[in-house]
Amino acid sequence: MIIDNLLNKDNLNKEELVYLLGCEGEEKTKLFTKAAEVKAKYIGRKVYFRGLIEMSNICRKNCLYCGIRSGNTNVHRYNLTDDEVIEAAKFAWENRYGSIAIQTGEVSTKEFVDRIENLLDKINKATNHELGITLSLGEQTEETYRRWFNKGAMRYLLRIEASNRELYAKLHPNDKHHDFDERLECLKALRRVGYQVGTGVMIGLPFQTLEHLADDLLWMQEMDVDMVGMGPYVEHPDTPLYQYRDKLLPLTERFNLALKMTALLRILMKDINIAAPTALQAIDPLGREKAIKVGANIVMPNITPGAYRNDYKLYENKPCTDDAADDCKNCLEARIQLTGDEIGYGEHGNSRHFYRRRNDTTIQ
């Protein structure tokens, strides 16, 4: 069978990836089985937690797909206090999550940059410098990235959302705040500073083809990223792209395509970290577990104080907005047990690819 030949190849080209993205039935099962084998061989069957702190939904950007875009006047804006962020970080530390991820809308003022720098100091002090820290705070200057890195941030996620320049332009306003080349330059700056660099794309967007998605996979491979967070596009009614909702793939097809993307990325980039995004669970109650089974190894329990969770709504039907942090932890423990993987408690779960890229054998 064609599928057997493809899955035995060391590298896949665009045409082959398009074929695999379109496979169904027995071929899809073989694809998922191969990805699970690659994951087990190269990174083992451990899942690492990143306690997610959605610190603020204030954003200077106006991306056409996003529920917290600056132009959406229906959003209740919020900004956690330092104490609230530190309490959430302490919860992660005390529950041996190993790592946290701090996420905000995109802001680049001096006050914001200084605040994050000071906050990193406070978090490290409150948690005995034992937490791994991921930041997802958008486009900043290289100097800013270095300042935060020097205060203990070790990983940075900056999603490209679409690696095709023309498609990117259809998802963003045409102005200086939404520049494709600037986004690419930020990813390169993060690499120069020394971060474990992460990016990702949305799957099932308006105007998107299987060829676009195949190019996304090859672009991530060419960029040699250390970690990826990608998931299905789920439309939000308070966004300009919502007008194209009738032209979208059905949610179940977007979901299956996201699983195929996860599996193919695991096959292409065997030792990177791949997150099982919450957006999968917005479509399928077992979405994150299914992603873990086909290659994902990172899960992000939401530890944002409950009063704010419903306001950080990038898309509709966001799950777990009513759960307390303890509920989320217990739920995920049970879910991961179902996959047959184990949780790497107290471990940073850093990207093996990052260390291999630096020829460093000390993986933490």
Side-chain angles (χ1 to χ4, degrees):
M1 288 179 73
I2 295 175
I3 189 83
D4 297 318
N5 292 332
L6 293 182
L7 294 179
N8 284 322
K9 291 186 67 174
D10 288 334
N11 271 302
L12 295 164
N13 63 31
K14 180 176 177 178
E15 184 182 2
E16 291 163 342
L17 288 169
V18 169
Y19 179 88
L20 290 166
L21 284 166
C23 72
E24 293 297 339
E26 185 185 346
E27 288 193 326
K28 184 173 77 170
T29 301
K30 288 188 174 186
L31 168 64
F32 289 168
T33 300
K34 175 68 173 183
E37 289 169 359
V38 170
K39 175 185 164 183
K41 179 177 178 180
Y42 287 89
I43 59 170
R45 297 198 58 184
K46 254 188 191 176
V47 175
Y48 301 100
F49 279 177
R50 309 271 187 260
L52 177 62
I53 305 171
E54 295 164 333
M55 186 172 123
S56 172
N57 66 355
I58 297 166
C59 191
R60 69 184 172 91
K61 292 212 166 194
N62 206 20
C63 305
L64 306 182
Y65 51 81
C66 183
I68 64 167
R69 60 197 298 270
S70 60
N72 183 6
T73 56
N74 293 329
V75 178
H76 174 256
R77 303 288 173 180
Y78 74 89
N79 199 353
L80 299 189
T81 66
D82 283 10
D83 285 346
E84 286 172 320
V85 175
I86 292 161
E87 279 304 306
K90 283 171 67 178
F91 172 88
W93 178 56
E94 289 162 358
N95 285 275
R96 303 184 64 239
Y97 278 15
S99 293
I100 57 170
I102 300 175
Q103 186 174 39
T104 66
E106 296 208 19
V107 178
S108 57
T109 61
K110 180 183 184 301
E111 293 75 17
F112 179 79
V113 171
D114 290 346
R115 184 189 175 200
I116 295 297
E117 189 173 36
N118 293 328
L119 196 50
L120 288 167
D121 264 341
K122 292 177 182 177
I123 289 170
N124 281 318
K125 186 177 179 183
T127 62
N128 200 30
H129 292 262
E130 291 176 4
L131 275 181
I133 300 176
T134 302
L135 298 179
S136 183
L137 309 176
E139 295 169 14
Q140 308 288 343
T141 66
E142 186 165 339
E143 181 203 359
T144 294
Y145 289 144
R146 185 166 281 107
R147 283 171 62 184
W148 293 345
F149 182 80
N150 289 339
K151 290 295 183 178
M154 57 175 60
R155 297 179 291 256
Y156 203 104
L157 177 65
L158 185 70
R159 287 174 43 145
I160 193 77
E161 305 302 5
S163 67
N164 177 278
R165 189 180 293 271
E166 288 72 32
L167 180 57
Y168 187 94
K170 292 179 179 179
L171 308 178
H172 300 88
N174 181 21
D175 61 33
K176 63 181 182 180
H177 293 307
H178 304 81
D179 186 270
F180 182 79
D181 291 310
E182 176 63 24
R183 200 111 181 138
L184 288 183
E185 182 50 41
C186 284
L187 286 166
K188 293 171 185 174
L190 289 163
R191 169 70 64 87
R192 288 193 294 268
V193 169
Y195 284 94
Q196 295 171 51
V197 180
T199 192
V201 296
M202 283 184 288
I203 299 153
L205 284 159
F207 324 116
Q208 189 182 57
T209 64
L210 292 184
E211 285 75 16
H212 285 137
L213 290 171
D215 280 336
D216 286 338
L217 290 166
L218 293 170
W219 175 83
M220 287 186 277
Q221 187 180 37
E222 183 187 348
M223 289 292 287
D224 201 22
V225 294
D226 304 304
M227 55 189 201
V228 168
M230 62 180 178
Y233 168 67
V234 181
E235 63 273 26
H236 191 296
D238 293 328
T239 61
L241 284 192
Y242 193 66
Q243 66 183 298
Y244 301 104
R245 63 193 178 278
D246 294 336
K247 298 179 180 178
L248 295 171
L249 292 172
L251 276 173
T252 51
E253 286 188 37
R254 280 177 258 169
F255 177 86
N256 284 320
L257 207 44
L259 291 185
K260 291 178 200 172
M261 285 285 285
T262 299
L264 286 168
L265 186 63
R266 175 56 69 202
I267 291 166
L268 286 176
M269 303 188 74
K270 296 173 172 48
D271 57 357
I272 67 169
N273 280 346
I274 303 176
T278 312
L280 289 171
Q281 202 176 318
I283 300 174
D284 184 319
L286 296 176
R288 285 191 281 193
E289 295 90 314
K290 290 179 179 180
I292 288 167
K293 284 187 169 185
V294 301
N297 68 317
I298 302 292
V299 172
M300 301 173 73
N302 197 328
I303 56 173
T304 309
Y308 303 100
R309 285 196 203 172
N310 212 36
D311 293 322
Y312 201 92
K313 215 169 195 180
L314 308 184
Y315 51 84
E316 280 295 274
N317 302 319
K318 179 182 174 183
C320 306
T321 54
D322 299 324
D323 290 354
D326 274 322
D327 296 335
C328 199
K329 173 179 180 275
N330 295 335
C331 171
L332 281 174
E333 281 180 341
R335 286 170 175 272
I336 289 164
Q337 201 169 16
L338 289 175
T339 69
D341 282 19
E342 62 172 308
I343 301 166
Y345 277 120
E347 299 179 56
H348 287 172
N350 289 324
S351 169
R352 288 175 178 265
H353 185 79
F354 171 76
Y355 292 103
R356 185 169 62 82
R357 183 164 60 74
R358 299 193 322 169
N359 296 316
D360 188 341
T361 57
T362 314
I363 299 172
Q364 296 176 343

